[in-house]
Amino acid sequence: MQKTIIESKNAPAAIGPYSQAVKVGDLVFLSGQIPLDPVTMTMVEGDIVAQAHQVFKNLVAVAEAAGGSLDNCVKVHVFLTDLGNFAKVNEVMQQYFNAPYPARAAIGVAALPRGAGVEVDAIMAL
């Protein structure tokens, strides 16, 4: 099995021992993105809508670095510290994905890195 590591300077650098994405065959596994500004490596200010926009912008950058787009995603995981934000994150997600949408899970969690309210990872098929 050959793994290709995917990196984008337009997305935040990994804040731990992982890669932004790994390509194996025609599949690309995009690591979870939190609302970090890729230039300052600080959390974006604002509500869950602002956080979600930054998360999806980060995912777009990594997907493009892998030679695809979010429309190539076949599975998405959304992690929320407050499931009350489910509808707002759905509204933001619709601005970054086109139908037919990928399979998805939305999971409520107690906490996320750096106090984020949302994190999203994905699997992309090229």
Side-chain angles (χ1 to χ4, degrees):
M1 167 183 75
Q2 181 177 346
K3 296 190 301 186
T4 303
I5 303 303
I6 307 297
E7 286 188 58
S8 172
K9 294 192 184 304
N10 296 320
I15 58 173
Y18 61 91
S19 300
Q20 290 175 328
V22 177
K23 181 179 178 192
V24 178
D26 292 337
L27 295 178
V28 181
F29 299 85
L30 289 79
S31 290
Q33 290 289 329
I34 60 174
L36 286 176
D37 178 296
V39 175
T40 64
M41 290 298 292
T42 60
M43 296 288 290
V44 297
E45 293 187 22
D47 62 5
I48 193 66
V49 171
Q51 287 190 33
H53 275 292
Q54 187 63 53
V55 164
F56 288 113
K57 288 176 188 176
N58 293 344
L59 285 171
V60 165
V62 178
E64 289 175 350
S69 74
L70 293 187
D71 288 332
N72 296 109
C73 290
V74 295
K75 178 68 176 180
V76 174
H77 296 107
V78 178
F79 303 92
L80 295 163
T81 57
D82 180 354
L83 286 173
N85 289 322
F86 181 80
K88 291 178 184 176
V89 173
N90 273 345
E91 289 176 18
V92 175
M93 184 175 169
Q94 284 186 303
Q95 296 174 41
Y96 293 88
F97 289 83
N98 296 302
Y101 300 111
R104 187 188 77 179
I107 304 146
V109 297
L112 290 167
R114 302 214 179 161
V118 59
E119 179 172 357
V120 180
D121 71 8
I123 300 171
M124 191 168 69
L126 299 177

